[in-house]
Amino acid sequence: MKIFHLQLKTGAKGKAVGHSDYIRREGRYRSREDLVDVGCGNLPSWAEGNARAFWAAADAHERMNGAAYREFIIALPNELVGSRSRDLVHDLICYLAGTKSYQFAVHAPEASLEGGINLHLHLMISDRMPDGIDRPASQMFRRYNPDRPEAGGRRKDACGRTNVQVSESVIESRCMVAKIINEHLERNGIAERVDHRTLKEQGIERQAERHLGAFRIQGMSGDERLAYVTARQAMRGRGEL
């Protein structure tokens, strides 16, 4: 079974442009040579197709302590390359972003422990829902006015939802993302599948593997890396990973 990884992050006001530069490998991130694909969509007319201009407006005009963006980070099967990877990314974006403004990037850094590549998608999405009203940038990120929508900003997707409803939405997203990935694996003749369920829900009695990150891996000794890789390979052999 292939590893399923989906992470959802929230980006605060003032952080959107910097993160946009990070996923696009622009500015101080330009030296990183792992960018595979990049794009954006559903931007308002005033952004003129420039995602960075859109995020700059979100940073400037989003209300204090508001979220400027949500980000999905999703592991992609390494076997799906080229057009096959682009088709999968397209379907994931259609499901997760829908009609909302978004920017995406696909990275393929070298895997730190076992070699190969770590193909994954970064998808930044604005919570602001389009409603057919043409607002300038200074108005779009204001608080929504239910009585006079044309006088306020765009409504946020999570507006009015309880914590339980938001949690249920994340679970549903994990399920659908796994389904989309598995459909593409099957379509391309790959037998392995991903499973969005927790290990306990799958009947596997062990703790979830901790994501180490490149910085922590760099601090590991050779023996520590070997022990970690050996344990991971043993779990794969038992069908637990």
Side-chain angles (χ1 to χ4, degrees), residues 89-118:
V89 167
H90 173 269
D91 286 353
L92 290 172
I93 291 173
C94 285
Y95 169 67
L96 293 170
T99 59
K100 292 181 285 188
S101 300
Y102 70 87
Q103 179 181 25
F104 80 92
V106 177
H107 296 167
E110 182 178 346
S112 301
L113 277 174
E114 298 183 71
I117 61 172
N118 175 21

Side-chain angles (χ1 to χ4, degrees), residues 42-229:
N42 300 334
L43 300 180
S45 58
W46 51 259
E48 297 181 340
N50 186 330
R52 197 175 194 275
F54 176 82
W55 298 123
D59 280 341
H61 302 296
E62 183 60 68
R63 62 186 178 84
M64 194 61 63
N65 299 322
Y69 67 91
R70 310 286 180 186
E71 181 189 23
F72 287 92
I73 305 173
I74 302 171
L76 304 174
N78 290 339
E79 295 89 346
L80 301 181
V81 296
S83 61
R84 298 192 298 177
S85 176
R86 287 190 292 272
D87 289 344
L88 170 56
V89 167
H90 173 269
D91 286 353
L92 290 172
I93 291 173
C94 285
Y95 169 67
L96 293 170
T99 59
K100 292 181 285 188
S101 300
Y102 70 87
Q103 179 181 25
F104 80 92
V106 177
H107 296 167
E110 182 178 346
S112 301
L113 277 174
E114 298 183 71
I117 61 172
N118 175 21
L119 192 67
H120 61 276
L121 166 69
H122 289 266
L123 177 60
M124 295 175 65
I125 304 174
S126 171
D127 266 353
R128 300 286 179 170
M129 298 288 292
D131 55 9
I133 299 174
D134 188 16
R135 300 175 176 85
S138 59
Q139 181 185 349
M140 178 176 164
F141 299 96
R142 291 179 190 168
R143 188 180 297 274
Y144 176 69
N145 186 331
D147 298 321
R148 297 179 57 223
E150 72 282 358
R154 285 185 178 180
R155 182 187 179 99
K156 282 198 166 184
D157 187 21
C159 182
R161 289 196 290 175
T162 66
N163 289 337
V164 172
Q165 290 172 323
V166 172
S167 178
E168 289 175 345
S169 176
V170 172
I171 294 172
E172 180 182 355
S173 294
R174 288 176 57 84
C175 179
M176 281 301 301
V177 165
K179 181 180 179 182
I180 292 170
I181 292 174
N182 285 333
E183 286 174 350
H184 280 261
L185 289 170
E186 181 178 8
R187 187 182 308 169
N188 288 280
I190 300 169
E192 288 185 287
R193 298 290 182 266
V194 299
D195 195 324
H196 72 284
R197 296 175 300 168
T198 65
L199 293 176
K200 184 176 181 180
E201 290 170 337
Q202 295 177 51
I204 298 174
E205 296 298 328
R206 69 169 177 83
Q207 290 187 336
E209 182 178 350
R210 183 179 61 175
H211 177 68
L212 295 176
F215 181 79
R216 187 177 288 113
I217 291 173
Q218 289 171 3
M220 295 170 67
S221 68
D223 289 342
E224 288 172 330
R225 292 191 186 199
L226 178 60
Y228 195 90
V229 171

Side-chain angles (χ1 to χ4, degrees), residues 17-31:
V17 167
H19 197 68
S20 172
D21 286 346
Y22 169 76
I23 70 170
R24 291 183 303 116
R25 299 311 197 216
E26 293 290 344
R28 62 194 182 100
Y29 307 104
R30 192 180 297 274
S31 62

